[in-house]
Amino acid sequence: MTAVSERHHLHGDEHKKLERIRDAALKSFATKGAAATSLRSVAADAGVSLGLVQHHFATKAGLIKAVDDYVLSVVIDVVARPATPHPRDSIADMGSRVTTLLLEHPDVVDYFGRALIDGSELGVTIWDTLAAFGMARWNARKENGEARPDIDVTWAALNSLVLALGTLIVRDHIERQIPGAFSSPEQLERWQESVNTLLREGLFNRNNESSS
């Protein structure tokens, strides 16, 4: 039986230890990068022995793969799961998914943000998955009349994706321009309302379109 298959048969305390190892690795990879993280430091942060980490994951590559798989599953579950049929407001629905991801999984956000910047295989997979999901959503909006018939679906999806992921990645810089933590309920609601307005209505008065 391989280390991977053994992990699927763990129960109780052993499963909790496995989660602690994964979560400790996720936090360290997100803040310091995988290259600067050792199995020994992960074991110390998780409160387990180095031998237990090696037993379950064998090598750092095995641990990275487990973290990558977990991060991808979280992103797909929260952001890319199918929408409810005919949501009342599909823009707000997507916005709430992004804020949920940040509130409930901040280390996941930091980790895939690093992966996107580094151009790792995980970063490529997350980008392509979310881009395909976004294009499907914008095509649906176009077909059901929610979006204008003349929109460029590809760029509608890509612009929305850059707006969401870019904000999450540079949120530490954004906090210098706002009163309070970006992840606070007040600031997340403010951000979501601003993005919703931008996507629904734009930022210019329609009767002044000819003005500079």
mmCIF file of all heavy atoms in Angstrom, residues 138-177:
data_model
loop_
_atom_site.group_PDB
_atom_site.id
_atom_site.type_symbol
_atom_site.label_atom_id
_atom_site.label_comp_id
_atom_site.label_asym_id
_atom_site.label_seq_id
_atom_site.Cartn_x
_atom_site.Cartn_y
_atom_site.Cartn_z
ATOM 1 N N TRP A 138 -20.128 33.729 -18.277
ATOM 2 C CA TRP A 138 -20.441 34.898 -19.099
ATOM 3 C C TRP A 138 -21.214 34.510 -20.347
ATOM 4 O O TRP A 138 -22.075 35.264 -20.806
ATOM 5 C CB TRP A 138 -19.152 35.656 -19.447
ATOM 6 C CG TRP A 138 -18.735 36.564 -18.334
ATOM 7 C CD1 TRP A 138 -17.753 36.348 -17.416
ATOM 8 C CD2 TRP A 138 -19.328 37.823 -17.994
ATOM 9 N NE1 TRP A 138 -17.685 37.389 -16.526
ATOM 10 C CE2 TRP A 138 -18.635 38.313 -16.862
ATOM 11 C CE3 TRP A 138 -20.352 38.582 -18.535
ATOM 12 C CZ2 TRP A 138 -18.944 39.530 -16.255
ATOM 13 C CZ3 TRP A 138 -20.671 39.805 -17.931
ATOM 14 C CH2 TRP A 138 -19.979 40.264 -16.817
ATOM 15 N N ASN A 139 -20.939 33.353 -20.914
ATOM 16 C CA ASN A 139 -21.763 32.877 -22.027
ATOM 17 C C ASN A 139 -23.208 32.694 -21.600
ATOM 18 O O ASN A 139 -24.142 33.048 -22.330
ATOM 19 C CB ASN A 139 -21.207 31.548 -22.558
ATOM 20 C CG ASN A 139 -20.218 31.748 -23.691
ATOM 21 O OD1 ASN A 139 -20.449 32.543 -24.608
ATOM 22 N ND2 ASN A 139 -19.101 31.046 -23.631
ATOM 23 N N ALA A 140 -23.407 32.143 -20.393
ATOM 24 C CA ALA A 140 -24.771 31.954 -19.885
ATOM 25 C C ALA A 140 -25.459 33.292 -19.673
ATOM 26 O O ALA A 140 -26.645 33.453 -19.993
ATOM 27 C CB ALA A 140 -24.732 31.152 -18.576
ATOM 28 N N ARG A 141 -24.719 34.266 -19.137
ATOM 29 C CA ARG A 141 -25.299 35.605 -18.943
ATOM 30 C C ARG A 141 -25.688 36.232 -20.275
ATOM 31 O O ARG A 141 -26.716 36.899 -20.383
ATOM 32 C CB ARG A 141 -24.289 36.500 -18.223
ATOM 33 C CG ARG A 141 -24.048 36.136 -16.773
ATOM 34 C CD ARG A 141 -22.866 36.893 -16.205
ATOM 35 N NE ARG A 141 -22.671 36.569 -14.797
ATOM 36 C CZ ARG A 141 -21.476 36.480 -14.211
ATOM 37 N NH1 ARG A 141 -20.375 36.703 -14.934
ATOM 38 N NH2 ARG A 141 -21.369 36.173 -12.933
ATOM 39 N N LYS A 142 -24.866 36.013 -21.288
ATOM 40 C CA LYS A 142 -25.154 36.562 -22.612
ATOM 41 C C LYS A 142 -26.383 35.887 -23.219
ATOM 42 O O LYS A 142 -27.258 36.544 -23.783
ATOM 43 C CB LYS A 142 -23.935 36.372 -23.516
ATOM 44 C CG LYS A 142 -24.018 37.036 -24.878
ATOM 45 C CD LYS A 142 -22.693 36.894 -25.603
ATOM 46 C CE LYS A 142 -22.710 37.568 -26.972
ATOM 47 N NZ LYS A 142 -21.403 37.441 -27.657
ATOM 48 N N GLU A 143 -26.454 34.561 -23.059
ATOM 49 C CA GLU A 143 -27.564 33.816 -23.654
ATOM 50 C C GLU A 143 -28.904 34.101 -22.978
ATOM 51 O O GLU A 143 -29.950 34.118 -23.638
ATOM 52 C CB GLU A 143 -27.257 32.316 -23.599
ATOM 53 C CG GLU A 143 -26.123 31.897 -24.535
ATOM 54 C CD GLU A 143 -25.656 30.478 -24.274
ATOM 55 O OE1 GLU A 143 -26.240 29.810 -23.371
ATOM 56 O OE2 GLU A 143 -24.709 30.035 -24.956
ATOM 57 N N ASN A 144 -28.884 34.323 -21.668
ATOM 58 C CA ASN A 144 -30.156 34.571 -20.987
ATOM 59 C C ASN A 144 -30.528 36.049 -20.919
ATOM 60 O O ASN A 144 -31.518 36.423 -20.284
ATOM 61 C CB ASN A 144 -30.160 33.947 -19.580
ATOM 62 C CG ASN A 144 -29.150 34.601 -18.647
ATOM 63 O OD1 ASN A 144 -28.776 35.759 -18.776
ATOM 64 N ND2 ASN A 144 -28.695 33.822 -17.657
ATOM 65 N N GLY A 145 -29.728 36.893 -21.577
ATOM 66 C CA GLY A 145 -30.060 38.308 -21.658
ATOM 67 C C GLY A 145 -29.597 39.138 -20.485
ATOM 68 O O GLY A 145 -29.868 40.339 -20.422
ATOM 69 N N GLU A 146 -28.883 38.524 -19.543
ATOM 70 C CA GLU A 146 -28.394 39.273 -18.385
ATOM 71 C C GLU A 146 -27.273 40.222 -18.791
ATOM 72 O O GLU A 146 -27.155 41.329 -18.257
ATOM 73 C CB GLU A 146 -27.906 38.299 -17.314
ATOM 74 C CG GLU A 146 -27.498 38.960 -16.013
ATOM 75 C CD GLU A 146 -26.989 37.968 -14.980
ATOM 76 O OE1 GLU A 146 -26.945 36.751 -15.286
ATOM 77 O OE2 GLU A 146 -26.628 38.399 -13.876
ATOM 78 N N ALA A 147 -26.441 39.795 -19.742
ATOM 79 C CA ALA A 147 -25.344 40.630 -20.234
ATOM 80 C C ALA A 147 -25.680 41.145 -21.628
ATOM 81 O O ALA A 147 -26.521 40.583 -22.333
ATOM 82 C CB ALA A 147 -24.046 39.822 -20.280
ATOM 83 N N ARG A 148 -25.003 42.217 -22.034
ATOM 84 C CA ARG A 148 -25.232 42.789 -23.357
ATOM 85 C C ARG A 148 -24.862 41.782 -24.434
ATOM 86 O O ARG A 148 -23.922 41.008 -24.291
ATOM 87 C CB ARG A 148 -24.382 44.052 -23.554
ATOM 88 C CG ARG A 148 -24.729 45.207 -22.653
ATOM 89 C CD ARG A 148 -24.228 46.525 -23.253
ATOM 90 N NE ARG A 148 -22.927 46.391 -23.887
ATOM 91 C CZ ARG A 148 -21.783 46.709 -23.304
ATOM 92 N NH1 ARG A 148 -21.760 47.134 -22.051
ATOM 93 N NH2 ARG A 148 -20.647 46.591 -23.953
ATOM 94 N N PRO A 149 -25.560 41.788 -25.573
ATOM 95 C CA PRO A 149 -25.272 40.810 -26.624
ATOM 96 C C PRO A 149 -23.960 41.063 -27.347
ATOM 97 O O PRO A 149 -23.444 40.161 -28.019
ATOM 98 C CB PRO A 149 -26.459 40.973 -27.580
ATOM 99 C CG PRO A 149 -26.966 42.359 -27.345
ATOM 100 C CD PRO A 149 -26.743 42.627 -25.885
ATOM 101 N N ASP A 150 -23.391 42.266 -27.192
ATOM 102 C CA ASP A 150 -22.173 42.594 -27.928
ATOM 103 C C ASP A 150 -20.896 42.407 -27.118
ATOM 104 O O ASP A 150 -19.812 42.775 -27.571
ATOM 105 C CB ASP A 150 -22.247 44.041 -28.429
ATOM 106 C CG ASP A 150 -22.334 45.052 -27.287
ATOM 107 O OD1 ASP A 150 -22.815 44.667 -26.190
ATOM 108 O OD2 ASP A 150 -21.932 46.219 -27.480
ATOM 109 N N ILE A 151 -20.988 41.823 -25.921
ATOM 110 C CA ILE A 151 -19.777 41.709 -25.105
ATOM 111 C C ILE A 151 -18.814 40.678 -25.692
ATOM 112 O O ILE A 151 -19.220 39.719 -26.343
ATOM 113 C CB ILE A 151 -20.104 41.326 -23.639
ATOM 114 C CG1 ILE A 151 -20.702 39.916 -23.564
ATOM 115 C CG2 ILE A 151 -20.977 42.346 -22.982
ATOM 116 C CD1 ILE A 151 -20.721 39.361 -22.155
ATOM 117 N N ASP A 152 -17.542 40.893 -25.425
ATOM 118 C CA ASP A 152 -16.499 39.927 -25.748
ATOM 119 C C ASP A 152 -16.420 38.982 -24.547
ATOM 120 O O ASP A 152 -15.885 39.346 -23.495
ATOM 121 C CB ASP A 152 -15.172 40.664 -25.964
ATOM 122 C CG ASP A 152 -14.029 39.742 -26.375
ATOM 123 O OD1 ASP A 152 -13.988 38.600 -25.875
ATOM 124 O OD2 ASP A 152 -13.172 40.172 -27.165
ATOM 125 N N VAL A 153 -16.957 37.783 -24.696
ATOM 126 C CA VAL A 153 -17.065 36.853 -23.568
ATOM 127 C C VAL A 153 -15.695 36.507 -22.998
ATOM 128 O O VAL A 153 -15.519 36.429 -21.771
ATOM 129 C CB VAL A 153 -17.821 35.574 -23.994
ATOM 130 C CG1 VAL A 153 -17.684 34.491 -22.939
ATOM 131 C CG2 VAL A 153 -19.285 35.886 -24.244
ATOM 132 N N THR A 154 -14.712 36.298 -23.863
ATOM 133 C CA THR A 154 -13.382 35.935 -23.381
ATOM 134 C C THR A 154 -12.821 37.001 -22.459
ATOM 135 O O THR A 154 -12.367 36.717 -21.344
ATOM 136 C CB THR A 154 -12.424 35.705 -24.559
ATOM 137 O OG1 THR A 154 -12.896 34.606 -25.343
ATOM 138 C CG2 THR A 154 -11.012 35.394 -24.058
ATOM 139 N N TRP A 155 -12.895 38.261 -22.910
ATOM 140 C CA TRP A 155 -12.324 39.320 -22.090
ATOM 141 C C TRP A 155 -13.218 39.684 -20.916
ATOM 142 O O TRP A 155 -12.713 40.146 -19.874
ATOM 143 C CB TRP A 155 -12.006 40.552 -22.936
ATOM 144 C CG TRP A 155 -10.642 40.429 -23.534
ATOM 145 C CD1 TRP A 155 -10.313 40.188 -24.829
ATOM 146 C CD2 TRP A 155 -9.404 40.484 -22.822
ATOM 147 N NE1 TRP A 155 -8.957 40.091 -24.980
ATOM 148 C CE2 TRP A 155 -8.371 40.274 -23.761
ATOM 149 C CE3 TRP A 155 -9.060 40.684 -21.496
ATOM 150 C CZ2 TRP A 155 -7.025 40.273 -23.401
ATOM 151 C CZ3 TRP A 155 -7.718 40.672 -21.129
ATOM 152 C CH2 TRP A 155 -6.728 40.470 -22.084
ATOM 153 N N ALA A 156 -14.494 39.464 -21.022
ATOM 154 C CA ALA A 156 -15.365 39.660 -19.853
ATOM 155 C C ALA A 156 -14.939 38.715 -18.737
ATOM 156 O O ALA A 156 -14.835 39.103 -17.566
ATOM 157 C CB ALA A 156 -16.822 39.417 -20.233
ATOM 158 N N ALA A 157 -14.661 37.460 -19.112
ATOM 159 C CA ALA A 157 -14.229 36.471 -18.120
ATOM 160 C C ALA A 157 -12.841 36.788 -17.589
ATOM 161 O O ALA A 157 -12.596 36.727 -16.372
ATOM 162 C CB ALA A 157 -14.255 35.077 -18.735
ATOM 163 N N LEU A 158 -11.908 37.130 -18.486
ATOM 164 C CA LEU A 158 -10.529 37.385 -18.051
ATOM 165 C C LEU A 158 -10.434 38.645 -17.196
ATOM 166 O O LEU A 158 -9.717 38.660 -16.179
ATOM 167 C CB LEU A 158 -9.609 37.496 -19.263
ATOM 168 C CG LEU A 158 -9.419 36.207 -20.069
ATOM 169 C CD1 LEU A 158 -8.530 36.462 -21.278
ATOM 170 C CD2 LEU A 158 -8.831 35.094 -19.202
ATOM 171 N N ASN A 159 -11.147 39.703 -17.579
ATOM 172 C CA ASN A 159 -11.123 40.930 -16.778
ATOM 173 C C ASN A 159 -11.690 40.686 -15.378
ATOM 174 O O ASN A 159 -11.149 41.185 -14.384
ATOM 175 C CB ASN A 159 -11.909 42.038 -17.469
ATOM 176 C CG ASN A 159 -11.140 42.679 -18.607
ATOM 177 O OD1 ASN A 159 -9.910 42.757 -18.572
ATOM 178 N ND2 ASN A 159 -11.836 43.143 -19.625
ATOM 179 N N SER A 160 -12.764 39.915 -15.301
ATOM 180 C CA SER A 160 -13.349 39.601 -13.998
ATOM 181 C C SER A 160 -12.378 38.786 -13.153
ATOM 182 O O SER A 160 -12.250 39.004 -11.942
ATOM 183 C CB SER A 160 -14.660 38.820 -14.179
ATOM 184 O OG SER A 160 -15.596 39.558 -14.928
ATOM 185 N N LEU A 161 -11.691 37.864 -13.797
ATOM 186 C CA LEU A 161 -10.745 37.012 -13.083
ATOM 187 C C LEU A 161 -9.554 37.813 -12.578
ATOM 188 O O LEU A 161 -9.116 37.649 -11.429
ATOM 189 C CB LEU A 161 -10.284 35.881 -14.011
ATOM 190 C CG LEU A 161 -9.436 34.760 -13.415
ATOM 191 C CD1 LEU A 161 -10.139 34.109 -12.231
ATOM 192 C CD2 LEU A 161 -9.122 33.717 -14.487
ATOM 193 N N VAL A 162 -9.015 38.691 -13.423
ATOM 194 C CA VAL A 162 -7.894 39.540 -13.008
ATOM 195 C C VAL A 162 -8.323 40.444 -11.854
ATOM 196 O O VAL A 162 -7.571 40.641 -10.882
ATOM 197 C CB VAL A 162 -7.388 40.382 -14.195
ATOM 198 C CG1 VAL A 162 -6.420 41.453 -13.726
ATOM 199 C CG2 VAL A 162 -6.722 39.490 -15.237
ATOM 200 N N LEU A 163 -9.524 40.978 -11.936
ATOM 201 C CA LEU A 163 -10.026 41.865 -10.885
ATOM 202 C C LEU A 163 -10.106 41.136 -9.550
ATOM 203 O O LEU A 163 -9.703 41.665 -8.512
ATOM 204 C CB LEU A 163 -11.405 42.394 -11.283
ATOM 205 C CG LEU A 163 -12.059 43.416 -10.357
ATOM 206 C CD1 LEU A 163 -11.181 44.655 -10.233
ATOM 207 C CD2 LEU A 163 -13.437 43.790 -10.890
ATOM 208 N N ALA A 164 -10.610 39.913 -9.562
ATOM 209 C CA ALA A 164 -10.766 39.156 -8.318
ATOM 210 C C ALA A 164 -9.422 38.648 -7.793
ATOM 211 O O ALA A 164 -9.049 38.918 -6.641
ATOM 212 C CB ALA A 164 -11.720 37.987 -8.540
ATOM 213 N N LEU A 165 -8.679 37.912 -8.625
ATOM 214 C CA LEU A 165 -7.429 37.315 -8.164
ATOM 215 C C LEU A 165 -6.366 38.375 -7.891
ATOM 216 O O LEU A 165 -5.610 38.263 -6.924
ATOM 217 C CB LEU A 165 -6.915 36.303 -9.186
ATOM 218 C CG LEU A 165 -7.791 35.074 -9.421
ATOM 219 C CD1 LEU A 165 -7.094 34.094 -10.364
ATOM 220 C CD2 LEU A 165 -8.142 34.380 -8.113
ATOM 221 N N GLY A 166 -6.322 39.389 -8.740
ATOM 222 C CA GLY A 166 -5.352 40.457 -8.516
ATOM 223 C C GLY A 166 -5.568 41.152 -7.185
ATOM 224 O O GLY A 166 -4.610 41.449 -6.458
ATOM 225 N N THR A 167 -6.817 41.397 -6.847
ATOM 226 C CA THR A 167 -7.118 42.041 -5.571
ATOM 227 C C THR A 167 -6.692 41.163 -4.402
ATOM 228 O O THR A 167 -6.115 41.648 -3.421
ATOM 229 C CB THR A 167 -8.624 42.340 -5.471
ATOM 230 O OG1 THR A 167 -9.003 43.213 -6.544
ATOM 231 C CG2 THR A 167 -8.966 43.010 -4.149
ATOM 232 N N LEU A 168 -6.967 39.872 -4.487
ATOM 233 C CA LEU A 168 -6.590 38.967 -3.406
ATOM 234 C C LEU A 168 -5.075 38.910 -3.240
ATOM 235 O O LEU A 168 -4.561 38.894 -2.120
ATOM 236 C CB LEU A 168 -7.140 37.564 -3.679
ATOM 237 C CG LEU A 168 -8.666 37.419 -3.679
ATOM 238 C CD1 LEU A 168 -9.053 35.972 -3.958
ATOM 239 C CD2 LEU A 168 -9.275 37.895 -2.369
ATOM 240 N N ILE A 169 -4.349 38.895 -4.359
ATOM 241 C CA ILE A 169 -2.896 38.761 -4.302
ATOM 242 C C ILE A 169 -2.237 40.008 -3.707
ATOM 243 O O ILE A 169 -1.273 39.904 -2.945
ATOM 244 C CB ILE A 169 -2.339 38.466 -5.705
ATOM 245 C CG1 ILE A 169 -2.752 37.058 -6.150
ATOM 246 C CG2 ILE A 169 -0.815 38.606 -5.734
ATOM 247 C CD1 ILE A 169 -2.447 36.760 -7.601
ATOM 248 N N VAL A 170 -2.749 41.203 -4.031
ATOM 249 C CA VAL A 170 -2.104 42.444 -3.563
ATOM 250 C C VAL A 170 -2.865 43.089 -2.414
ATOM 251 O O VAL A 170 -2.701 44.276 -2.149
ATOM 252 C CB VAL A 170 -1.938 43.462 -4.727
ATOM 253 C CG1 VAL A 170 -1.108 42.873 -5.848
ATOM 254 C CG2 VAL A 170 -3.296 43.929 -5.256
ATOM 255 N N ARG A 171 -3.652 42.309 -1.686
ATOM 256 C CA ARG A 171 -4.488 42.909 -0.634
ATOM 257 C C ARG A 171 -3.665 43.567 0.469
ATOM 258 O O ARG A 171 -4.154 44.530 1.097
ATOM 259 C CB ARG A 171 -5.441 41.877 -0.053
ATOM 260 C CG ARG A 171 -4.824 40.726 0.699
ATOM 261 C CD ARG A 171 -5.905 39.712 1.072
ATOM 262 N NE ARG A 171 -5.422 38.651 1.943
ATOM 263 C CZ ARG A 171 -4.774 37.580 1.532
ATOM 264 N NH1 ARG A 171 -4.511 37.434 0.233
ATOM 265 N NH2 ARG A 171 -4.393 36.661 2.395
ATOM 266 N N ASP A 172 -2.438 43.109 0.714
ATOM 267 C CA ASP A 172 -1.597 43.771 1.719
ATOM 268 C C ASP A 172 -1.304 45.206 1.309
ATOM 269 O O ASP A 172 -1.240 46.104 2.156
ATOM 270 C CB ASP A 172 -0.294 43.005 1.919
ATOM 271 C CG ASP A 172 -0.501 41.694 2.664
ATOM 272 O OD1 ASP A 172 -1.585 41.511 3.247
ATOM 273 O OD2 ASP A 172 0.417 40.850 2.657
ATOM 274 N N HIS A 173 -1.120 45.449 0.025
ATOM 275 C CA HIS A 173 -0.882 46.812 -0.460
ATOM 276 C C HIS A 173 -2.171 47.621 -0.415
ATOM 277 O O HIS A 173 -2.156 48.816 -0.076
ATOM 278 C CB HIS A 173 -0.332 46.774 -1.890
ATOM 279 C CG HIS A 173 1.009 46.125 -2.000
ATOM 280 N ND1 HIS A 173 2.159 46.689 -1.508
ATOM 281 C CD2 HIS A 173 1.386 44.937 -2.549
ATOM 282 C CE1 HIS A 173 3.193 45.895 -1.742
ATOM 283 N NE2 HIS A 173 2.750 44.824 -2.370
ATOM 284 N N ILE A 174 -3.275 46.990 -0.752
ATOM 285 C CA ILE A 174 -4.568 47.689 -0.731
ATOM 286 C C ILE A 174 -4.885 48.218 0.663
ATOM 287 O O ILE A 174 -5.461 49.303 0.809
ATOM 288 C CB ILE A 174 -5.680 46.740 -1.216
ATOM 289 C CG1 ILE A 174 -5.521 46.466 -2.717
ATOM 290 C CG2 ILE A 174 -7.074 47.305 -0.927
ATOM 291 C CD1 ILE A 174 -6.464 45.409 -3.263
ATOM 292 N N GLU A 175 -4.474 47.480 1.683
ATOM 293 C CA GLU A 175 -4.801 47.878 3.051
ATOM 294 C C GLU A 175 -4.183 49.217 3.442
ATOM 295 O O GLU A 175 -4.631 49.843 4.404
ATOM 296 C CB GLU A 175 -4.374 46.787 4.032
ATOM 297 C CG GLU A 175 -5.272 45.569 3.955
ATOM 298 C CD GLU A 175 -4.927 44.503 4.989
ATOM 299 O OE1 GLU A 175 -3.834 44.606 5.591
ATOM 300 O OE2 GLU A 175 -5.733 43.589 5.190
ATOM 301 N N ARG A 176 -3.174 49.686 2.704
ATOM 302 C CA ARG A 176 -2.607 51.003 3.001
ATOM 303 C C ARG A 176 -3.533 52.124 2.565
ATOM 304 O O ARG A 176 -3.366 53.264 3.002
ATOM 305 C CB ARG A 176 -1.237 51.154 2.316
ATOM 306 C CG ARG A 176 -0.175 50.196 2.840
ATOM 307 C CD ARG A 176 1.220 50.685 2.476
ATOM 308 N NE ARG A 176 1.407 50.768 1.034
ATOM 309 C CZ ARG A 176 1.799 49.757 0.265
ATOM 310 N NH1 ARG A 176 2.032 48.573 0.810
ATOM 311 N NH2 ARG A 176 1.959 49.919 -1.028
ATOM 312 N N GLN A 177 -4.495 51.820 1.701
ATOM 313 C CA GLN A 177 -5.418 52.845 1.207
ATOM 314 C C GLN A 177 -6.832 52.745 1.794
ATOM 315 O O GLN A 177 -7.693 53.537 1.448
ATOM 316 C CB GLN A 177 -5.534 52.759 -0.323
ATOM 317 C CG GLN A 177 -4.447 53.504 -1.085
ATOM 318 C CD GLN A 177 -3.106 52.818 -1.031
ATOM 319 O OE1 GLN A 177 -3.014 51.626 -1.262
ATOM 320 N NE2 GLN A 177 -2.059 53.574 -0.711
#
